[in-house]
Amino acid sequence: MHDFVGQTAIVTGGTRGIGKGIAESFLKAGARVIVTYSSNDAAAAQFKQDNSEFAENIDIQKCDVSKYADVEKFFEHIDKQYEGFEILVNNAGIRKDAVLAMMRESEWHDVLNVNLSGIFYMSKFAVMSLMQRRYGRIINITSPSGKFGFEGQANYAAAKAGIVALTKSLAKEVARRGITVNCVSPGFIATDLIQDLPDELRGSYIAQIPLKRFGKPEEVAACVLFLASQEASYVTGSTVEVTGGL
Ligand SMILES: NC(=O)c1ccc[n+]([C@@H]2O[C@H](COP(=O)([O-])OP(=O)(O)OC[C@H]3O[C@@H](n4cnc5c(N)ncnc54)[C@H](OP(=O)(O)O)[C@@H]3O)[C@@H](O)[C@H]2O)c1
Protein backbone atom coordinates (compact mmCIF):
# COMPACT_ATOMS: atom_id res chain seq x y z
CA MET A 1 0.00 0.00 0.00
CA HIS A 2 1.19 3.54 -0.77
CA ASP A 3 1.79 5.91 2.11
CA PHE A 4 -0.08 9.24 1.99
CA VAL A 5 0.58 10.39 5.55
CA GLY A 6 0.95 14.18 5.55
CA GLN A 7 -0.76 14.55 2.16
CA THR A 8 -4.17 16.03 1.36
CA ALA A 9 -6.44 14.67 -1.38
CA ILE A 10 -9.56 16.29 -2.82
CA VAL A 11 -12.09 13.78 -4.20
CA THR A 12 -15.12 15.19 -6.04
CA GLY A 13 -18.29 13.11 -5.71
CA GLY A 14 -16.54 11.33 -2.87
CA THR A 15 -19.53 10.48 -0.72
CA ARG A 16 -20.98 7.64 -2.81
CA GLY A 17 -19.93 4.93 -5.25
CA ILE A 18 -16.47 4.96 -6.81
CA GLY A 19 -15.56 8.29 -5.18
CA LYS A 20 -16.38 6.87 -1.76
CA GLY A 21 -14.13 3.89 -2.46
CA ILE A 22 -11.33 6.25 -3.51
CA ALA A 23 -11.78 8.54 -0.49
CA GLU A 24 -11.81 5.58 1.92
CA SER A 25 -8.66 4.12 0.38
CA PHE A 26 -6.87 7.46 0.82
CA LEU A 27 -8.03 7.64 4.45
CA LYS A 28 -6.74 4.12 5.15
CA ALA A 29 -3.41 5.13 3.57
CA GLY A 30 -3.08 8.06 5.99
CA ALA A 31 -4.19 11.02 3.85
CA ARG A 32 -6.40 13.90 4.87
CA VAL A 33 -9.37 13.79 2.49
CA ILE A 34 -11.68 16.58 1.37
CA VAL A 35 -14.74 15.07 -0.30
CA THR A 36 -17.34 17.00 -2.25
CA TYR A 37 -20.90 16.15 -3.24
CA SER A 38 -23.75 18.05 -4.88
CA SER A 39 -27.07 17.41 -3.14
CA ASN A 40 -27.45 14.07 -1.33
CA ASP A 41 -26.99 15.11 2.31
CA ALA A 42 -28.04 11.67 3.59
CA ALA A 43 -25.22 9.97 1.64
CA ALA A 44 -22.77 12.57 2.96
CA ALA A 45 -23.88 11.88 6.54
CA GLN A 46 -23.58 8.13 5.91
CA PHE A 47 -20.04 8.62 4.58
CA LYS A 48 -19.12 10.48 7.76
CA GLN A 49 -20.63 7.76 9.94
CA ASP A 50 -18.99 4.91 8.01
CA ASN A 51 -15.59 6.57 8.40
CA SER A 52 -15.89 7.90 11.95
CA GLU A 53 -12.51 6.37 12.88
CA PHE A 54 -10.89 8.86 10.48
CA ALA A 55 -13.07 11.83 11.56
CA GLU A 56 -10.17 14.23 12.08
CA ASN A 57 -8.90 13.60 8.55
CA ILE A 58 -12.25 14.17 6.82
CA ASP A 59 -13.73 17.40 5.46
CA ILE A 60 -17.04 17.10 3.57
CA GLN A 61 -18.05 20.05 1.39
CA LYS A 62 -21.17 20.62 -0.68
CA CYS A 63 -19.95 21.93 -4.03
CA ASP A 64 -21.65 21.51 -7.38
CA VAL A 65 -18.68 21.14 -9.74
CA SER A 66 -20.78 22.30 -12.69
CA LYS A 67 -21.11 25.76 -11.10
CA TYR A 68 -18.05 27.98 -11.44
CA ALA A 69 -19.06 30.09 -8.43
CA ASP A 70 -19.38 26.98 -6.22
CA VAL A 71 -15.92 25.80 -7.26
CA GLU A 72 -14.43 29.25 -6.63
CA LYS A 73 -15.98 29.26 -3.14
CA PHE A 74 -14.72 25.74 -2.50
CA PHE A 75 -11.12 26.75 -3.25
CA GLU A 76 -11.49 29.84 -1.05
CA HIS A 77 -12.35 27.41 1.76
CA ILE A 78 -9.29 25.27 0.91
CA ASP A 79 -7.01 28.33 0.89
CA LYS A 80 -8.37 29.48 4.25
CA GLN A 81 -8.30 26.10 6.01
CA TYR A 82 -5.23 24.33 4.66
CA GLU A 83 -1.66 25.04 3.72
CA GLY A 84 -2.31 23.33 0.41
CA PHE A 85 -3.06 19.94 -1.09
CA GLU A 86 -1.23 17.46 -3.29
CA ILE A 87 -3.93 15.41 -4.99
CA LEU A 88 -7.12 16.15 -6.93
CA VAL A 89 -9.38 13.32 -8.09
CA ASN A 90 -12.05 14.57 -10.49
CA ASN A 91 -14.57 11.78 -10.02
CA ALA A 92 -18.01 13.48 -9.89
CA GLY A 93 -20.16 12.43 -12.80
CA ILE A 94 -23.75 11.85 -13.89
CA ARG A 95 -25.60 10.01 -16.66
CA LYS A 96 -28.70 11.18 -18.53
CA ASP A 97 -29.06 8.60 -21.30
CA ALA A 98 -31.27 9.01 -24.36
CA VAL A 99 -30.81 8.27 -28.04
CA LEU A 100 -29.53 11.42 -29.68
CA ALA A 101 -32.70 12.15 -31.67
CA MET A 102 -34.73 12.12 -28.45
CA MET A 103 -32.13 13.77 -26.20
CA ARG A 104 -33.31 16.99 -24.62
CA GLU A 105 -31.05 20.02 -24.84
CA SER A 106 -30.95 20.04 -21.02
CA GLU A 107 -29.78 16.39 -20.93
CA TRP A 108 -26.91 17.27 -23.26
CA HIS A 109 -25.86 20.35 -21.29
CA ASP A 110 -26.30 18.84 -17.80
CA VAL A 111 -23.99 15.93 -18.59
CA LEU A 112 -21.37 18.08 -20.33
CA ASN A 113 -21.51 20.66 -17.54
CA VAL A 114 -20.95 18.20 -14.69
CA ASN A 115 -18.70 15.62 -16.35
CA LEU A 116 -16.48 17.90 -18.45
CA SER A 117 -16.81 21.56 -17.45
CA GLY A 118 -16.66 20.48 -13.80
CA ILE A 119 -13.21 19.02 -14.41
CA PHE A 120 -12.10 22.21 -16.17
CA TYR A 121 -13.27 24.38 -13.24
CA MET A 122 -11.75 22.15 -10.54
CA SER A 123 -8.46 21.72 -12.42
CA LYS A 124 -8.16 25.44 -13.21
CA PHE A 125 -8.19 26.40 -9.53
CA ALA A 126 -6.15 23.35 -8.48
CA VAL A 127 -3.23 23.90 -10.86
CA MET A 128 -2.80 27.49 -9.68
CA SER A 129 -2.11 26.10 -6.22
CA LEU A 130 -0.18 22.97 -7.29
CA MET A 131 2.14 24.97 -9.56
CA GLN A 132 3.34 26.97 -6.55
CA ARG A 133 4.20 23.71 -4.75
CA ARG A 134 5.87 22.35 -7.88
CA TYR A 135 4.25 19.01 -7.10
CA GLY A 136 0.83 17.56 -7.76
CA ARG A 137 -1.26 14.64 -8.92
CA ILE A 138 -4.51 15.06 -10.84
CA ILE A 139 -6.55 11.98 -11.70
CA ASN A 140 -9.66 12.27 -13.88
CA ILE A 141 -12.29 9.54 -14.10
CA THR A 142 -13.28 8.80 -17.68
CA SER A 143 -15.19 5.79 -19.09
CA PRO A 144 -15.01 3.18 -21.87
CA SER A 145 -18.05 5.02 -23.26
CA GLY A 146 -15.67 7.81 -24.32
CA LYS A 147 -13.49 5.34 -26.20
CA PHE A 148 -16.09 3.07 -27.83
CA GLY A 149 -19.31 5.11 -27.72
CA PHE A 150 -22.46 3.44 -26.41
CA GLU A 151 -26.02 3.75 -27.73
CA GLY A 152 -27.95 6.36 -25.79
CA GLN A 153 -24.81 7.99 -24.41
CA ALA A 154 -23.82 10.64 -26.98
CA ASN A 155 -23.68 13.25 -24.19
CA TYR A 156 -21.84 11.02 -21.68
CA ALA A 157 -19.45 9.58 -24.31
CA ALA A 158 -18.61 13.05 -25.65
CA ALA A 159 -17.86 14.30 -22.14
CA LYS A 160 -15.75 11.27 -21.27
CA ALA A 161 -13.74 11.48 -24.53
CA GLY A 162 -13.29 15.19 -23.80
CA ILE A 163 -11.82 14.33 -20.41
CA VAL A 164 -9.09 12.25 -22.08
CA ALA A 165 -8.20 15.14 -24.41
CA LEU A 166 -8.25 17.68 -21.56
CA THR A 167 -6.00 15.36 -19.53
CA LYS A 168 -3.40 15.02 -22.29
CA SER A 169 -3.32 18.77 -22.93
CA LEU A 170 -3.06 19.71 -19.25
CA ALA A 171 -0.39 17.04 -18.67
CA LYS A 172 1.79 18.79 -21.25
CA GLU A 173 1.14 22.23 -19.78
CA VAL A 174 2.12 21.37 -16.21
CA ALA A 175 4.76 18.64 -16.63
CA ARG A 176 7.63 21.07 -15.96
CA ARG A 177 6.05 21.97 -12.62
CA GLY A 178 6.18 18.43 -11.26
CA ILE A 179 2.46 17.86 -11.76
CA THR A 180 1.15 14.69 -13.42
CA VAL A 181 -2.33 14.41 -14.92
CA ASN A 182 -3.84 11.02 -15.79
CA CYS A 183 -7.16 9.29 -16.35
CA VAL A 184 -8.60 6.14 -14.88
CA SER A 185 -11.28 4.47 -16.96
CA PRO A 186 -13.45 2.12 -14.91
CA GLY A 187 -15.58 -0.47 -16.67
CA PHE A 188 -18.91 -1.48 -15.16
CA ILE A 189 -18.63 -0.82 -11.43
CA ALA A 190 -21.49 -1.73 -9.11
CA THR A 191 -22.71 1.70 -7.92
CA ASP A 192 -25.94 3.74 -7.91
CA LEU A 193 -24.96 5.14 -11.32
CA ILE A 194 -25.72 1.87 -13.13
CA GLN A 195 -28.37 0.56 -10.75
CA ASP A 196 -31.08 1.31 -13.31
CA LEU A 197 -29.68 -1.10 -15.92
CA PRO A 198 -32.32 -3.69 -16.82
CA ASP A 199 -31.35 -7.28 -15.82
CA GLU A 200 -31.21 -8.38 -19.44
CA LEU A 201 -28.73 -5.64 -20.38
CA ARG A 202 -26.72 -6.26 -17.20
CA GLY A 203 -26.41 -9.95 -18.20
CA SER A 204 -25.32 -9.10 -21.73
CA TYR A 205 -22.67 -6.67 -20.42
CA ILE A 206 -21.31 -9.28 -17.98
CA ALA A 207 -21.08 -11.78 -20.85
CA GLN A 208 -18.79 -9.32 -22.69
CA ILE A 209 -16.45 -8.83 -19.71
CA PRO A 210 -13.59 -11.38 -19.71
CA LEU A 211 -13.53 -11.41 -15.87
CA LYS A 212 -17.33 -12.12 -15.96
CA ARG A 213 -18.37 -9.68 -13.23
CA PHE A 214 -18.82 -6.00 -12.50
CA GLY A 215 -15.96 -4.32 -10.63
CA LYS A 216 -15.89 -2.83 -7.13
CA PRO A 217 -15.11 0.80 -6.17
CA GLU A 218 -12.02 -0.30 -4.23
CA GLU A 219 -10.61 -1.94 -7.38
CA VAL A 220 -10.78 1.43 -9.14
CA ALA A 221 -9.36 3.12 -6.04
CA ALA A 222 -6.26 0.90 -6.09
CA CYS A 223 -5.35 2.27 -9.50
CA VAL A 224 -6.12 5.87 -8.50
CA LEU A 225 -3.87 5.57 -5.45
CA PHE A 226 -1.00 4.29 -7.59
CA LEU A 227 -1.33 7.28 -9.96
CA ALA A 228 -1.54 9.61 -6.94
CA SER A 229 1.60 8.16 -5.38
CA GLN A 230 5.11 9.56 -5.62
CA GLU A 231 6.11 6.24 -7.24
CA ALA A 232 4.02 7.12 -10.33
CA SER A 233 6.31 10.06 -11.09
CA TYR A 234 6.94 9.04 -14.74
CA VAL A 235 3.29 8.44 -15.68
CA THR A 236 1.46 11.40 -17.17
CA GLY A 237 -1.10 12.01 -19.91
CA SER A 238 -2.12 8.33 -19.67
CA THR A 239 -5.40 6.49 -19.29
CA VAL A 240 -5.38 3.34 -17.20
CA GLU A 241 -8.30 0.97 -17.77
CA VAL A 242 -9.88 -0.90 -14.86
CA THR A 243 -12.48 -2.79 -16.84
CA GLY A 244 -12.11 -6.51 -16.19
CA GLY A 245 -10.76 -6.73 -19.73
CA LEU A 246 -13.78 -5.15 -21.49
N1 LIG B 1 -20.23 3.06 -12.12
C1 LIG B 1 -19.71 2.79 -13.29
O1 LIG B 1 -19.95 1.71 -13.85
C2 LIG B 1 -18.80 3.77 -13.96
C3 LIG B 1 -18.11 3.34 -15.11
C4 LIG B 1 -17.24 4.23 -15.74
C5 LIG B 1 -17.06 5.49 -15.24
N2 LIG B 1 -17.75 5.88 -14.13
C6 LIG B 1 -17.51 7.23 -13.64
O2 LIG B 1 -17.07 7.17 -12.30
C7 LIG B 1 -17.48 8.37 -11.63
C8 LIG B 1 -18.24 8.01 -10.36
O3 LIG B 1 -19.37 7.24 -10.74
P1 LIG B 1 -20.23 6.43 -9.66
O4 LIG B 1 -20.72 5.23 -10.34
O5 LIG B 1 -19.51 6.31 -8.38
O6 LIG B 1 -21.47 7.46 -9.47
P2 LIG B 1 -22.53 7.62 -8.28
O7 LIG B 1 -22.56 6.38 -7.45
O8 LIG B 1 -23.78 8.09 -8.93
O9 LIG B 1 -21.90 8.80 -7.37
C9 LIG B 1 -21.73 10.06 -7.95
C10 LIG B 1 -21.07 11.00 -6.96
O10 LIG B 1 -20.84 12.24 -7.68
C11 LIG B 1 -21.50 13.30 -7.01
N3 LIG B 1 -21.96 14.31 -7.95
C12 LIG B 1 -22.88 14.18 -8.94
N4 LIG B 1 -23.06 15.35 -9.56
C13 LIG B 1 -22.22 16.24 -8.96
C14 LIG B 1 -21.95 17.62 -9.13
N5 LIG B 1 -22.60 18.35 -10.05
N6 LIG B 1 -21.05 18.21 -8.32
C15 LIG B 1 -20.40 17.49 -7.38
N7 LIG B 1 -20.61 16.19 -7.16
C16 LIG B 1 -21.52 15.58 -7.94
C17 LIG B 1 -22.63 12.66 -6.26
O11 LIG B 1 -23.06 13.53 -5.22
P3 LIG B 1 -24.56 13.39 -4.59
O12 LIG B 1 -24.48 12.18 -3.69
O13 LIG B 1 -24.80 14.66 -3.88
O14 LIG B 1 -25.50 13.15 -5.73
C18 LIG B 1 -21.95 11.38 -5.79
O15 LIG B 1 -21.14 11.65 -4.66
C19 LIG B 1 -18.30 9.17 -12.64
O16 LIG B 1 -17.47 10.13 -13.26
C20 LIG B 1 -18.73 8.11 -13.64
O17 LIG B 1 -19.00 8.67 -14.90
C21 LIG B 1 -18.61 5.06 -13.49
Side-chain angles (χ1 to χ4, degrees):
M1 185 193 270
H2 303 283
D3 183 0
F4 290 96
V5 173
Q7 293 196 41
T8 300
I10 297 170
V11 182
T12 68
T15 52
R16 287 195 286 126
I18 293 172
K20 184 175 189 230
I22 294 168
E24 290 175 344
S25 295
F26 274 123
L27 288 168
K28 285 180 193 147
R32 173 193 288 143
V33 181
I34 302 155
V35 293
T36 74
Y37 70 105
S38 63
S39 60
N40 190 334
D41 297 320
Q46 188 64 47
F47 176 90
K48 197 171 174 187
Q49 193 180 318
D50 292 348
N51 293 287
S52 54
E53 62 182 299
F54 302 111
E56 63 194 26
N57 273 341
I58 297 173
D59 180 357
I60 304 177
Q61 294 292 320
K62 203 174 203 170
C63 166
D64 182 341
V65 296
S66 70
K67 298 199 172 112
Y68 188 86
D70 268 30
V71 174
E72 192 170 32
K73 211 165 126 211
F74 171 77
F75 278 96
E76 279 167 16
H77 164 75
I78 299 292
D79 285 348
K80 218 181 284 169
Q81 291 293 315
Y82 306 103
E83 279 172 18
F85 59 94
E86 287 79 17
I87 300 155
L88 168 64
V89 183
N90 283 310
N91 163 80
I94 57 168
R95 270 177 54 217
K96 291 196 176 177
D97 295 358
V99 290
L100 189 141
M102 302 302 289
M103 190 177 285
R104 290 193 211 105
E105 194 188 355
S106 62
E107 290 169 331
W108 171 265
H109 286 299
D110 289 350
V111 169
L112 268 289
N113 288 345
V114 175
N115 296 13
L116 185 58
S117 300
I119 293 189
F120 163 60
Y121 301 153
M122 289 296 297
S123 303
K124 178 178 165 63
F125 284 97
V127 290
M128 297 302 283
S129 167
L130 296 174
M131 282 196 296
Q132 283 168 15
R133 295 178 90 82
R134 303 192 80 82
Y135 179 84
R137 298 279 185 262
I138 299 177
I139 296 108
N140 299 323
I141 306 299
T142 180
S143 160
S145 185
K147 183 173 170 182
F148 302 118
F150 288 132
E151 279 175 43
Q153 291 202 330
N155 50 359
Y156 186 82
K160 293 299 186 182
I163 291 171
V164 175
L166 180 155
T167 299
K168 289 180 182 178
S169 302
L170 182 58
K172 287 179 176 152
E173 290 176 11
V174 297
R176 274 167 302 165
R177 308 291 188 119
I179 303 167
T180 65
V181 192
N182 291 289
C183 286
V184 169
S185 179
F188 292 99
I189 309 298
T191 69
D192 296 343
L193 191 77
I194 59 167
Q195 219 178 16
D196 61 341
L197 284 183
D199 284 348
E200 203 179 304
L201 200 54
R202 191 175 287 261
S204 94
Y205 285 145
I206 289 176
Q208 294 170 51
I209 302 169
L211 287 181
K212 298 293 169 222
R213 64 173 175 85
F214 284 177
K216 301 178 205 150
E218 57 267 32
E219 292 175 310
V220 180
C223 196
V224 170
L225 262 67
F226 166 66
L227 291 171
S229 72
Q230 292 178 357
E231 288 83 353
S233 47
Y234 203 56
V235 186
T236 197
S238 296
T239 298
V240 182
E241 299 182 0
V242 186
T243 61
L246 186 70

